[in-house]
Amino acid sequence: QFVDRTVMSVESLPVDREELMREIEGKRVKPILSGENEFWEAFSCLDYDKWYATHASYDATYKWPCEPYIVGSTASMPPYDERFVHYGNDKAQHLLNLFYKQYRFVVLEDHFLVHLPHKLAEWADQRLRNEHIGEVLTLTEQFKFESGTEAGVNWHTGVRFSPGTYRVKEGKMIVWNGKEWVDKSSGSPSDPL
């Protein structure tokens, strides 16, 4: 992201890695959200130092609440949870869901984007954020439980459930078989929630 908040021109964007590195070394560009009082955790899983030092793609180590920009096929990707209508955790929940479903996150060599500074949207206003923070945090915890359970992952630890782990739903035992949840009595796939 540009350090100088007055830079708003597409013409000023670096066009290749070499140009980007010169901008970083000149302290005109910095990793997004890496400044004081910024939410670094959202992009820290990318390991910028590794990207600077290598010219090869590498796996990113996912850690909540990492929410970098991603590229992927929408044909197989689960959608965003539309319950996240206020500011906060919309991208984070989406990446957590992908992590639970064992998607692989790869940082691509020589690929980058530059975030232009901009005013916050009206819906991201701090007053509105404060007004809805309890709702967003409650929904986030509910989402972690639901998406983790559906994917067979303990949402507290990120560890996959062992086959035989079960939940009781409407008097029926729903068992994780290592790939999906099934009704123990019928063997049919079943929603654990």
Side-chain angles (χ1 to χ4, degrees):
Q1 110 185 23
F2 279 100
V3 174
D4 180 354
R5 294 200 166 268
T6 63
V7 175
M8 300 299 268
S9 156
V10 173
E11 291 77 34
S12 61
L13 295 174
V15 296
D16 58 27
R17 181 187 181 116
E18 188 176 298
E19 204 173 303
L20 175 70
M21 293 308 292
R22 278 196 305 272
E23 294 291 316
I24 290 169
E25 289 161 8
K27 304 211 182 296
R28 292 177 295 276
V29 171
K30 65 177 183 131
I32 189 167
L33 297 179
S34 63
E36 192 173 320
N37 299 321
E38 293 184 315
F39 191 59
W40 174 240
E41 292 85 351
F43 290 86
S44 62
C45 62
L46 298 178
D47 191 355
Y48 288 107
D49 290 337
K50 187 170 187 172
W51 190 84
Y52 299 155
T54 186
H55 285 275
S57 297
Y58 59 91
D59 288 339
T61 303
Y62 176 82
K63 180 178 153 191
W64 172 264
C66 198
E67 56 177 29
Y69 300 106
I70 61 172
V71 177
S73 169
T74 57
S76 64
M77 192 178 296
Y80 274 76
D81 188 317
E82 293 181 3
R83 296 174 294 176
F84 286 84
V85 294
H86 300 294
Y87 184 92
N89 290 344
D90 53 343
K91 291 190 312 276
Q93 66 79 18
H94 189 241
L95 269 81
L96 178 65
N97 195 15
L98 296 175
F99 171 71
Y100 283 157
K101 294 181 185 306
Q102 298 186 317
Y103 278 69
R104 184 173 166 222
F105 301 103
V106 177
V107 178
L108 300 174
E109 63 180 293
D110 297 328
H111 289 73
F112 62 91
L113 62 86
V114 178
H115 181 267
L116 289 173
H118 59 83
K119 286 185 175 182
L120 283 179
E122 187 177 307
W123 63 269
D125 176 75
Q126 190 64 49
R127 182 188 56 77
L128 288 173
R129 291 166 72 175
N130 292 342
E131 187 177 313
H132 295 287
I133 190 68
E135 182 183 341
V136 169
L137 294 176
T138 299
L139 178 57
T140 298
E141 292 306 300
Q142 180 181 346
F143 175 82
K144 286 178 180 180
F145 169 74
E146 292 168 356
S147 61
T149 300
E150 287 172 357
V153 176
N154 179 312
W155 67 282
H156 283 291
T157 64
V159 175
R160 295 197 66 74
F161 292 136
S162 300
T165 300
Y166 69 91
R167 297 183 49 77
V168 176
K169 178 182 173 186
E170 298 169 2
K172 293 184 178 182
M173 189 179 285
I174 311 298
V175 180
W176 177 252
N177 68 10
K179 293 182 182 177
E180 64 183 345
W181 292 96
V182 295
D183 181 316
K184 185 174 182 181
S185 60
S186 70
S188 300
S190 183
D191 179 357
L193 304 173

